[in-house]
Amino acid sequence: MTSIRFTKEAFLDIEDAALWYEHQRQGLSFDFELCLEVGIQEISRTPLAFQKKYKQVYVQFINRFPYGIHYIIKNDLITVIGVFHTSRSPKDWSSRIL
């Protein structure tokens, strides 16, 4: 298992999405967070198995929700730089590359 860290912006992305889903239907944010957790576990097990979207940025799309976990790998550290809705422009996350 590889170490994973989240940027502050990634945490804010997750919080915004969870709040939006909870506003849509009580308990839906919990479902979103469970699917996100499964996605993070998959990344941790096989970080190179997912699509390389932009230069060194990989994306793992989560189940049931139109979101991708955007991350980079440096040495043995995975850094999640964002959790974005699939309709968002790549410009939104490309500026977050460390």
Side-chain angles (χ1 to χ4, degrees):
M1 200 158 349
T2 308
S3 296
I4 297 181
R5 78 174 189 94
F6 291 78
T7 62
K8 179 181 174 184
E9 293 85 2
F11 277 125
L12 292 173
D13 293 340
I14 294 166
E15 181 179 34
D16 287 346
L19 289 171
W20 189 87
Y21 280 118
E22 191 62 24
H23 183 70
Q24 301 310 303
R25 189 183 83 216
Q26 186 175 1
L28 191 56
S29 64
F30 182 72
D31 293 346
F32 171 74
E33 290 170 358
L34 285 177
C35 290
L36 185 63
E37 185 177 329
V38 168
I40 295 297
Q41 290 171 355
E42 291 173 349
I43 291 169
S44 178
R45 284 191 301 272
T46 55
L48 298 174
F50 301 101
Q51 180 183 12
K52 201 176 217 182
K53 192 73 167 172
Y54 177 80
K55 295 186 181 181
Q56 74 265 32
V57 179
Y58 291 84
V59 180
Q60 200 280 2
F61 295 101
I62 65 173
N63 293 325
R64 290 190 55 213
F65 296 90
Y67 278 81
I69 304 166
H70 294 68
Y71 62 97
I72 59 173
I73 304 168
K74 283 191 181 177
N75 303 321
D76 283 336
L77 177 65
I78 296 168
T79 303
V80 176
I81 61 170
V83 178
F84 291 110
H85 193 279
T86 56
S87 68
R88 288 184 61 185
S89 168
K91 292 176 185 175
D92 292 339
W93 53 261
S94 63
S95 64
R96 295 186 185 184
I97 299 172
L98 306 175

